[in-house]
Amino acid sequence: MKSYLALLSCTALLTVGCDGKAAQAPLVEVNLDLPPERRWDAAVAECGGADAGKLISKYLADVTKKLPTAVVALIQALAGDLDRVGVSIPKELRVEMKALAEALDLPVGDVVMLNYIYSLRSLAGKGGSNTTGPLPDGAAWTPHACTSIVATEAASGTPYHVRNMDWNLPADERQQATFLCNFTKGNRTVFLGACYIGFVGVPSGMVPGAGGGYGVTLNERAEGGNILEDLLAATVLGGWDPTHMIRKVLVTASTYEDALGELRKLTLSAPAYFIVSGPRPQEGVVVTRNRVGVHTERALGDGALWVGQTNYDWEKEVPSYDNRRRYLKQYMDALKPAEVTPSAMFDVISSWPLRNNHSAYTTVMQPSSGTFQLFTLVP
């Protein structure tokens, strides 16, 4: 098998910031040559089968308490006739969802809801993550505190890409349900991705390749909106869920330029940030997306040695209760060009409040070397 797995870290347990630990996630193959019904069998076995389904059911029970009744009803209706109603979900992903529901002993509606959890969280829109201060009175907490950074590594002069994914999962569930996916086709690695059992989308992934390839991470864009209206647009009118779109791009686009072209143009179910890194110097960009079209872009070059993103538009003021941007800038601006090393980048992404009590995993990637690492985080 032509694969870049030899470049993955063999470190089993690292001590990181915030008095926590980072455990390397297990590696699972998802063979895209298999029928969609069978692709996730190894992942289901790795994560404990029906026991993993119970974790999902418990998590979704808490999520649905916070959603309007009409939204839950719409998802159940969608699940009941997924092939006819779910026109915005590619057919092979619909088949994968149905098979996962059966393997995890879950209703199809639960798996569909899990796969739209990004849109449901970002479109709910009220409240915020209180990483740096208390929430305002009456605001509801939401776990959307992801951070992504692309910087020019000193030794190679090529981009190095790190991210934290924040999700309100208990520590033991994070470790059981999170794994590194090697998506293969024709006995070759197509891309590597950070995966969660039951979830067919990819929020963090990388296409490796000598002289080519790229990495992409997704950050939620805290825009809010009418959740029922936007969910209807997402499921019926053709808006791509951002994680499904990233998976599509990772399969079909082999170069940094091609990936950027796709990420800029496809219609989304929710506003988003795509943070993209390439294998060559100055190939790093934050693409701020509206549902239709690009809002802004910020890139490496012209004196910028790094670009980063939390969950708020860079030109707008950040709420005091979630001012991770201040610390991101402080940590990265303190590094001289010669000090931008893999260990320094890992230290930055592991430092409070970029890493916080709700950080579920850290990904580290470098397209030029083929390195991709995934660590689950334990407070």
Side-chain angles (χ1 to χ4, degrees), residues 41-118:
D41 287 355
V44 170
E46 174 67 38
C47 295
D51 286 342
K54 292 174 183 176
L55 299 181
I56 294 170
S57 183
K58 179 181 175 183
Y59 170 70
L60 291 177
D62 180 59
V63 169
T64 55
K65 292 176 186 176
K66 303 168 186 175
L67 292 177
T69 304
V71 171
V72 178
L74 174 61
I75 292 171
Q76 296 300 335
L78 170 65
D81 197 358
L82 193 57
D83 290 329
R84 185 174 66 86
V85 182
V87 295
S88 68
I89 305 173
K91 182 178 179 180
E92 65 175 343
L93 300 192
R94 286 179 251 155
V95 176
E96 289 180 15
M97 287 184 200
K98 292 176 183 178
L100 278 164
E102 182 177 352
L104 295 167
D105 195 23
L106 289 170
V108 177
D110 281 6
V111 175
V112 173
M113 184 175 296
L114 181 70
N115 277 270
Y116 274 97
I117 210 71
Y118 171 87

Side-chain angles (χ1 to χ4, degrees), residues 150-283:
V150 179
T152 301
E153 190 214 352
S156 67
T158 63
Y160 202 80
H161 190 160
V162 295
R163 79 87 53 87
N164 280 344
M165 176 74 160
D166 290 8
W167 204 336
N168 58 332
L169 293 169
D172 56 340
E173 296 179 15
R174 296 174 193 171
Q175 290 188 290
Q176 181 178 348
T178 306
F179 51 97
L180 192 161
C181 268
N182 177 28
F183 288 83
T184 65
K185 193 172 181 64
N187 210 30
R188 297 168 65 91
T189 295
V190 178
F191 71 92
L192 301 164
C195 295
Y196 179 83
I197 192 63
F199 198 82
V200 301
V202 180
S204 310
M206 186 188 76
V207 173
Y214 57 90
V216 57
T217 56
L218 168 70
N219 280 25
E220 182 182 348
R221 188 177 173 203
E223 286 289 285
N226 183 308
I227 188 169
L228 183 56
E229 227 175 76
D230 287 334
L231 186 59
L232 278 167
T235 56
V236 178
L237 302 180
W240 280 85
D241 176 86
T243 67
H244 295 172
M245 190 178 87
I246 288 177
R247 175 171 162 179
K248 172 193 181 298
V249 170
L250 290 167
V251 170
T252 60
S254 59
T255 68
Y256 174 78
E257 294 82 3
D258 289 345
L260 271 178
E262 292 293 291
L263 293 168
R264 286 166 174 154
K265 75 179 183 181
L266 295 174
T267 299
L268 297 175
S269 62
Y273 302 106
F274 295 120
I275 301 87
V276 191
S277 56
R280 292 173 287 272
Q282 299 187 1
E283 289 187 333

